[in-house]
């Protein structure tokens, strides 16, 4: 039996896999080595995953996570998991690898993540051949929940929202400038905090102002990532993540503007990832 995990900054999905398929499922908070150190990750796993799966001793663990592209960050996460499962073989991979394997299979394509954060890569059917730099929540993450949340909060605090949307936003959240500044500059996980406001955008997406904000956020993602890949219009482009999934109709309209072929849009890569590792166990 092996364990696979797919982690964004907000949540982590865990699966126990055998050659017969998924044995058990669990969910914990997200893991991102840019926001948590090794001890914090290990403590979270001990208090959540071990509680859900007491006594489990997997042979191997394959962890795919946001922020796990650099070797030093991979080492941080590996060390944390090793504290919890000392007898398991552990591999830590970037979440882009999970997305590419789940979305593209063995076909070339461009795989994109649009969740709390955003990312993308060019996949040749076997491995990632190019991935543009991910500048994170402060400098990048275009098209993500964090990016959209940041835009609506900025517009609210700067009194740039239409009166009806401003009133609805104020009634729902009762936000103050000091509260926002505290969350963004003093508390951990500002990206998660901002991403919570994407739900407001979804609920009001029929409003012309909100629709245009969503549309522009996706357009920014295409401008900063998709169109920079060589011959990008020759590939199927796939998306995974809650933002891509729930705003899929708008995302497809933006793609049409850039003459991009959108194929799969999945909320989670876990089903495809589970199948990938199940087949490896059989082999």
């Amino acid at each position: 039996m092996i364990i696979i995990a797919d982690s964004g900054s907000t949540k982590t999905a865990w699966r126990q896999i055998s050659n017969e398929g998924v044995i058990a499922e669990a969910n914990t908070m997200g893991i991102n080595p840019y926001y948590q150190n090794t001890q914090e990750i290990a403590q979270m796993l001990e208090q959540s995953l071990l509680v859900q799966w007491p006594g489990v001793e997997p042979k191997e663990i394959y962890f795919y996570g946001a922020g796990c592209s650099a070797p030093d960050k991979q080492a941080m996460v590996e060390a944390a998991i090793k504290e919890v499962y000392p007898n398991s073989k552990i591999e830590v991979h970037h979440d882009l690898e999970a997305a590419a394997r789940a979305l593209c299979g063995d076909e070339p394509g461009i795989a994109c993540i649009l969740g709390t954060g955003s990312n993308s890569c060019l996949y040749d059917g076997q491995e990632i051949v190019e991935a543009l730099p991910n500048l994170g929540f402060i400098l990048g993450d275009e098209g993500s929940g964090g990016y959209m949340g940041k835009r609506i909060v900025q517009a609210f605090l700067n009194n740039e929202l239409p009166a009806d949307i401003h009133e609805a936003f104020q009634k729902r959240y009762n936000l103050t400038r000091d509260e926002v500044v505290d969350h963004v500059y003093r508390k951990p996980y500002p990206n998660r905090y901002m991403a919570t406001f994407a739900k407001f955008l979804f609920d009001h997406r029929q409003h012309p102002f909100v629709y245009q904000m969503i549309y522009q956020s996706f357009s920014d993602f295409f401008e900063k990532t998709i169109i920079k890949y060589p011959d990008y219009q020759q590939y199927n482009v796939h998306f995974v993540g809650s933002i891509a999934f729930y705003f899929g109709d708008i995302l497809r309209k933006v793609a049409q503007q850039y003459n991009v072929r959108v194929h799969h849009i999945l909320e989670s890569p876990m089903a495809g990832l589970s199948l990938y590792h199940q087949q490896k166990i059989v082999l």
Side-chain angles (χ1 to χ4, degrees), residues 142-182:
E142 291 85 3
S144 70
Y147 186 79
M148 291 184 184
K150 185 165 57 175
R151 287 174 63 90
I152 188 73
V153 170
Q154 285 175 330
F156 172 75
L157 294 177
N158 288 323
N159 292 316
E160 295 170 347
L161 296 175
D164 55 340
I165 293 298
H166 184 98
E167 181 180 355
F169 194 87
Q170 175 64 26
K171 182 177 180 180
R172 183 160 172 173
Y173 298 109
N174 195 28
L175 276 187
T176 65
R177 176 191 176 278
D178 289 343
E179 179 183 349
V180 172
V181 168
D182 187 52

Side-chain angles (χ1 to χ4, degrees), residues 12 15 24 53 97 100-101 127 145 152 204 218 229 260 269 272 274:
T12 305
R15 300 290 186 271
W53 287 346
E97 291 190 49
R101 288 172 174 175
E127 59 184 20
I152 188 73
H204 294 83
F218 286 146
Y229 289 110
V260 165
S274 296

Side-chain angles (χ1 to χ4, degrees), residues 266-281:
L266 305 178
E267 185 174 8
S268 166
M270 187 51 82
L273 204 56
S274 296
L275 180 60
Y276 173 85
H277 282 283
Q278 180 185 345
Q279 292 172 337
K280 286 190 66 175
I281 292 174

Side-chain angles (χ1 to χ4, degrees), residues 215 218 222 237 239 247-257 260-265:
Y215 192 99
F218 286 146
F222 274 74
V237 180
F239 293 87
F247 294 96
D249 54 340
I250 304 176
L251 180 60
R252 289 184 184 277
K253 288 184 183 298
V254 176
Q256 291 175 358
Q257 176 187 333
V260 165
R261 300 193 309 269
V262 174
H263 195 39
H264 297 305
I265 299 181

Side-chain angles (χ1 to χ4, degrees), residues 21-59:
V22 177
I23 301 172
E25 303 180 1
N27 294 283
T28 68
M29 292 177 59
I31 293 172
N32 190 320
Y34 281 95
Y35 300 116
Q36 300 149 290
N37 60 37
T38 295
Q39 195 55 46
E40 289 170 337
I41 296 170
Q43 184 177 24
M44 185 274 289
L45 293 178
E46 289 170 354
Q47 295 174 351
S48 56
L49 190 60
L50 287 188
V51 172
Q52 297 178 67
W53 287 346
V56 171
E57 295 185 6
K59 180 180 179 181

Side-chain angles (χ1 to χ4, degrees), residues 202-215:
F202 179 80
D203 292 340
H204 294 83
R205 65 193 183 280
Q206 301 300 328
H207 191 286
F209 183 92
V210 174
Y211 183 95
Q212 184 56 39
M213 180 174 285
I214 299 166
Y215 192 99

